[in-house]
Amino acid sequence: MLDAPAPAAASPFATPGDLPLHLLDDPQEWPAFGRASPADGEGAWDSQVVLGGMYCAACALAIEEALLAVPGVLRAEVSAATHRARVVWQSAAVRPSQWIAAVDRAGYRALPAADAFARDRRRREGRRALWRWLVAAFCMMQVMMYAWPAYVARPGDLAPDAEQLLRWAAWVLSLPVMFFSCGPFFASALRDVARRRVSMDLPVVIGIAITFVVSMAGTFDPGGPLGREVYYDSPTMFVFFLLTGRWLEMRLRGRTAGALEALMNRLPDSVERRTAAGAFERVAVRRIAAGDVVRVRPGEAFPGDGTVIEGDTFADEALLTGESAAVARPAGSGVIAGSFNLQSPVLVRVERTGGGTRFAQIVALMENASLQKPRLARRADRAARPFLLAVLAASALAALWWWPQDRGHALMVAVAVLIVTCPCALSLATPAAMLAAAGALARRGVLVRNLQALEVLAAADTVVFDKTGTLTRDGLALAGVRTAAGCTADQARALAATLARHSLHPASRALCEGYDSETIAASTVEEVMVGGMKGVVVQDGCTRRLRMGSAAFCGIDPTLADGAGPQVHLVDDAKGWLAAFMLAEDVREDARDAVAALHAAGLQVQLLSGDRSAGAARVAAQVGIGHARGNCTPQDKLAALRAAQAAGRHVVMVGDGLNDGPVLAGAHVSFAFGRAVPLAQAQADFVVLSSGLAVVPQAVLLARRTMAVVRQNLAWAAGYNALCVPLAMAGWMPAWLAGLGMAASSLLVIANSARLARALPASPLPPLGEGRHGGTSPLPACPLPSPPPAGKGAASAA
């Protein structure tokens, strides 16, 4: 099985030239960058593309308008923060090549989001941007060296010929900056002018061009109307600062949205598939189907959900399930698409591919969240174009004001006004922070389905938990043992586990959890419906007839059945009552700490459960919740939620059951665990992939910190413009300083937001082994299928 790998199959999009758009019209290629969207009608598709050539919110609006103008495009959402677009289109009316071509005609580039060619194209663009920055840096330093003598020389120190030579040298060194480093700015501005649009590049290009023209006039016609002053240092420094800011912004944006990129790029481009003859051929991942057998080598990602049919290995599922430790995947166990094979080659029979995999569902949640525009971001985007028009008007007024005094100075004041203003900082203030927070939560195993929910979560003051499956697991746990005289707890547990391992009842699983009863032989074990179990066991050569179950089934004295909660009794037909096992609901280990953290954060915590009131109160007391209510129907839960909202409370709901769907939808913001039923996941704002509750208070605190960062970003962006625009109009800010301020404004917003990516501590996931013994098998030693069923893990608490 370990023969040499077959050569990689080339992606149909990975060509050295431009993207062959006609290939995207093949319906077999559509799942590679989208999924069917039945909710939008028969034949509707929801596709994701990566955009190039956009720099601000005005660009995002222009792309949306270009897409929506194509017949058959139902919806288009473009994010200026992530440079991605979501397009919902009707396959009967339009093909991908048509709406991608519309983006190209608008002057931008669109590539399939999950294709290797898109990643290669972004890398090439990154290298070109680095070269432009290096050229601008070198020329800027040389121009500053030639300009410095003019700044420090006293009258008569610099000969006219020497001064003219320095000007010529500065002009020559400015040409590469103007025609190479500034190339994207001029191309974007000319494209916008041709389409009668205004974007951030237009005032930038006007400012650079005016400065260069004024400097050329001072070089070639010093006695002309624009005077003899030259400013070659200003445009070169401005371009250098602007390219530095955009380069760092691109790197920081990649970090804040890195969780989505890391997740989407986990699937391999190709995989080795076994042919009918038994050989292996490498094919594109989108060509595999359910039933195919593929070979996955160490370091490769599993291409679909399936079952290991040959070989044993370990898998890294951290980004998909929240499990930080490597997970054993022996033959017969399940694997998840997007998880990595860590140890040895295995053969996997594929069961689900494409949109049917858990990987595709997680990607869909993250893609949708990354393209959502929070309320504050939508307001900033709507203000972007009017703001740019106001900038152009302000620069024209400043030039008119200073024109009578000094024409050259008037133009440089107008340049400073054009350059210093920066709507990009306002547009990025909210989405950059929220995407950084969403990325931090994603790395912790929490998927944000709705970015707006972060703003709502920050204002929450009440958290309502469901009990079963949320604060507790579905199963039971052994809480204590009472024994008769002459029988120890270990002896009683060994006998009980001998019978219990033949049953699937939750009480039986709790009794055999973590206890080895193989030393005792059992025969003729019988499970009696609604009663218990009976059987014959042989221990140390002695044959014993045992019964285990309820007090009535065992026929014991009712006084032996005192105590709260469910109990299982063990009796020997010859010796009588042997032991009573007290069972309790298996409360999650971190539930009490999570509730305490919520209380410490100033939130009120409540429990609403469909279970009996006594059981709800018992669990509430265990985890530290003061207000609990049981016997709740879905309507009762929703009524209680609405009553709290009517009283002015901002409610967070945490649940995972089928009856939690209505209340999850009715809450201000909601959490559902990754193994919740589909209805609960569909209604929740946050989906928790791990089983730990600690992420709930951490998400609350991160949401509060996120909104604090948003307010800081907005305050900085507004304060910067309010301070610098008057200074520029008054002629107190040179063009190079305006360029530095413009680059720094966006960069500070992105850098401030990037701090949120490190806001959460290391993963709070339970240690390796938690939940490993909670499968459907009654035998503790049996391996479990992966992932384990929700709520089946149980830690014994004898």
Side-chain angles (χ1 to χ4, degrees):
M1 307 307 297
L2 301 179
D3 51 317
S11 167
F13 303 153
T15 61
D18 291 333
L19 182 71
L21 294 181
H22 67 276
L23 292 178
L24 299 180
D25 293 340
D26 182 355
Q28 290 189 353
E29 304 296 342
W30 297 347
F33 60 101
R35 63 194 63 85
S37 181
D40 294 295
E42 184 179 357
W45 279 78
D46 185 338
S47 299
Q48 305 275 340
V49 292
V50 176
L51 299 168
M54 62 176 295
Y55 300 103
C56 64
C59 298
L61 293 175
I63 296 174
E64 286 183 357
E65 291 173 356
L67 286 168
L68 292 174
V70 178
V73 173
L74 306 179
R75 290 198 309 277
E77 299 171 357
V78 179
S79 170
T82 61
H83 290 197
R84 301 172 69 90
R86 176 191 181 196
V87 184
V88 180
W89 50 282
Q90 180 55 250
S91 59
V94 69
R95 286 291 187 265
S97 62
Q98 294 174 272
W99 51 261
I100 288 181
V103 176
D104 292 341
R105 288 193 298 271
Y108 304 92
R109 296 178 300 280
L111 297 170
D115 192 75
F117 180 68
R119 299 193 293 272
D120 292 341
R121 181 104 173 235
R122 288 198 299 271
R123 283 195 290 267
R124 290 198 301 271
E125 289 181 348
R127 287 195 292 268
R128 284 197 294 266
L130 182 59
W131 272 110
R132 291 189 185 98
W133 177 81
L134 289 173
V135 169
F138 174 78
C139 294
M140 179 268 297
M141 290 186 290
Q142 297 302 311
V143 170
M144 280 299 301
M145 182 178 66
Y146 295 142
W148 182 251
Y151 284 118
V152 299
R154 290 175 295 182
D157 287 350
L158 195 61
D161 292 343
E163 182 179 7
Q164 189 66 15
L165 179 62
L166 292 175
R167 292 186 174 194
W168 275 88
W171 174 72
V172 170
L173 287 169
S174 298
L175 293 176
V177 177
M178 298 299 296
F179 293 102
F180 177 68
S181 298
C182 292
F185 304 144
F186 281 98
S188 176
L190 291 174
R191 173 196 65 205
D192 293 333
V193 170
R195 291 169 175 79
R196 299 180 181 178
R197 293 197 308 251
V198 178
S199 70
M200 191 59 235
D201 284 334
L202 184 59
V204 167
V205 164
I206 293 175
I208 293 173
I210 290 176
T211 307
F212 191 68
V213 168
V214 170
S215 300
M216 286 183 61
T219 302
F220 297 104
D221 187 16
L226 297 181
R228 63 185 309 274
E229 295 295 330
V230 296
Y231 307 94
Y232 293 118
D233 54 324
S234 292
T236 54
M237 289 183 67
F238 167 57
V239 171
F240 169 73
F241 291 142
L242 185 58
L243 291 176
T244 301
R246 289 193 174 179
W247 169 257
L248 294 176
E249 180 184 331
M250 179 178 63
R251 298 295 299 271
L252 289 170
R253 187 193 309 115
R255 185 191 303 175
T256 55
L260 175 60
E261 287 293 325
L263 186 64
M264 289 195 61
N265 295 335
R266 286 177 78 90
L267 284 187
D269 296 321
S270 61
V271 67
E272 293 179 77
R273 180 176 63 185
R274 189 166 68 184
T275 65
F280 286 89
E281 62 175 354
R282 187 163 286 274
V283 298
V285 166
R286 53 182 160 271
R287 301 297 183 184
I288 65 173
D292 287 347
V293 175
V294 299
R295 179 170 56 193
V296 182
R297 297 178 178 274
E300 293 181 342
F302 293 100
D305 293 350
T307 302
V308 178
I309 61 173
E310 184 177 321
D312 300 327
T313 189
F314 283 83
D316 174 11
E317 301 177 354
L319 198 58
L320 299 173
T321 66
E323 175 62 68
S324 58
V327 182
R329 289 292 176 254
S333 62
V335 292
I336 307 173
S339 60
F340 279 101
N341 181 12
L342 297 179
Q343 190 176 56
S344 58
V346 291
L347 294 186
V348 176
R349 177 173 285 108
V350 178
E351 297 171 354
R352 288 178 298 275
T353 62
T357 63
R358 179 178 175 85
F359 171 82
Q361 296 164 7
I362 294 173
V363 168
L365 288 176
M366 295 187 68
E367 283 179 336
N368 292 339
S370 69
L371 287 164
Q372 290 172 356
K373 293 183 180 180
R375 176 176 52 84
L376 294 175
R378 289 195 297 268
R379 291 181 180 177
D381 287 355
R382 285 195 296 268
R385 284 183 177 173
F387 183 86
L388 288 172
L389 293 174
V391 167
L392 295 174
S395 64
L397 290 174
L400 290 175
W401 174 264
W402 287 98
W403 191 265
Q405 302 178 38
D406 187 332
R407 296 177 180 178
H409 181 67
L411 292 176
M412 294 309 299
V413 169
V415 168
V417 174
L418 287 170
I419 292 175
V420 78
T421 50
C422 185
C424 294
L426 284 171
S427 298
L428 293 172
T430 300
M434 289 192 172
L435 285 170
L441 288 172
R443 284 185 285 271
R444 297 275 298 168
V446 181
L447 300 185
V448 183
R449 295 186 66 247
N450 179 10
L451 281 182
Q452 185 65 39
L454 286 168
E455 182 179 351
V456 180
L457 183 61
D461 54 21
T462 302
V463 178
V464 177
F465 281 97
D466 177 49
K467 180 175 70 69
T468 305
T470 305
L471 291 174
T472 69
R473 298 180 177 89
D474 288 340
L476 298 172
L478 181 61
V481 182
R482 290 188 297 112
T483 61
C487 181
T488 66
D490 283 343
Q491 291 171 339
R493 286 204 63 189
L495 292 171
T498 302
L499 298 179
R501 65 190 179 94
H502 294 278
S503 170
L504 294 176
H505 192 278
S508 298
R509 292 202 298 270
L511 289 173
C512 67
E513 173 72 30
Y515 202 88
D516 183 9
S517 61
E518 297 293 338
T519 58
I520 304 176
S523 63
T524 64
V525 175
E526 179 184 354
E527 186 168 10
V528 180
M529 187 68 65
V530 196
M533 303 183 69
K534 58 183 180 180
V536 178
V537 302
V538 179
Q539 183 181 29
D540 298 330
C542 297
T543 301
R544 310 178 68 170
R545 294 183 179 276
L546 303 176
R547 281 180 293 161
M548 182 176 70
S550 65
F553 174 75
C554 294
I556 65 171
D557 185 345
T559 60
L560 297 174
D562 59 345
Q567 296 184 16
V568 174
H569 297 270
L570 178 67
V571 299
D572 186 317
D573 286 353
K575 296 182 178 181
W577 180 80
L578 295 178
F581 303 94
M582 278 67 72
L583 302 178
E585 291 183 278
D586 189 12
V587 177
R588 297 184 185 274
E589 294 87 345
D590 60 347
R592 188 173 186 85
D593 291 340
V595 171
L598 290 170
H599 282 144
L603 284 87
Q604 182 186 101
V605 184
Q606 301 179 11
L607 173 64
L608 295 179
S609 175
D611 202 356
R612 296 186 303 272
S613 295
R618 188 163 51 248
V619 171
Q622 283 182 262
V623 301
I625 296 178
H627 182 277
R629 178 179 170 185
N631 297 316
C632 292
T633 65
Q635 293 76 17
D636 293 335
K637 291 183 179 182
L638 190 57
L641 181 76
R642 288 174 175 168
Q645 292 172 333
R649 312 294 296 186
H650 292 79
V651 183
V652 179
M653 180 66 196
V654 185
D656 77 337
L658 182 63
N659 63 349
D660 293 327
V663 71
L664 288 171
H668 289 104
V669 64
S670 53
F671 287 79
F673 285 83
R675 298 186 179 98
V677 298
L679 176 62
Q681 289 195 27
Q683 301 294 347
D685 299 298
F686 298 88
V687 176
V688 183
L689 299 179
S690 63
S691 60
L693 289 171
V695 294
V696 176
Q698 289 175 357
V700 173
L701 296 177
L702 181 62
R704 293 178 179 178
R705 185 171 178 181
T706 300
M707 294 314 299
V709 169
V710 168
R711 288 190 290 269
Q712 293 168 8
N713 289 347
L714 291 173
W716 159 254
Y720 160 80
N721 283 286
L723 174 66
C724 293
V725 171
L727 290 177
M729 294 185 71
W732 295 344
M733 180 172 289
W736 67 266
L737 184 58
L740 178 61
M742 177 190 177
S745 62
S746 293
L747 189 59
L748 284 176
V749 165
I750 297 292
N752 191 37
S753 301
R755 295 187 300 118
L756 294 169
R758 302 183 299 274
L760 291 178
S763 176
L765 295 170
L768 185 62
E770 189 263 337
R772 293 289 177 87
H773 304 297
T776 58
S777 169
L779 297 175
C782 288
L784 295 178
S786 176
K792 298 295 184 186
S796 61

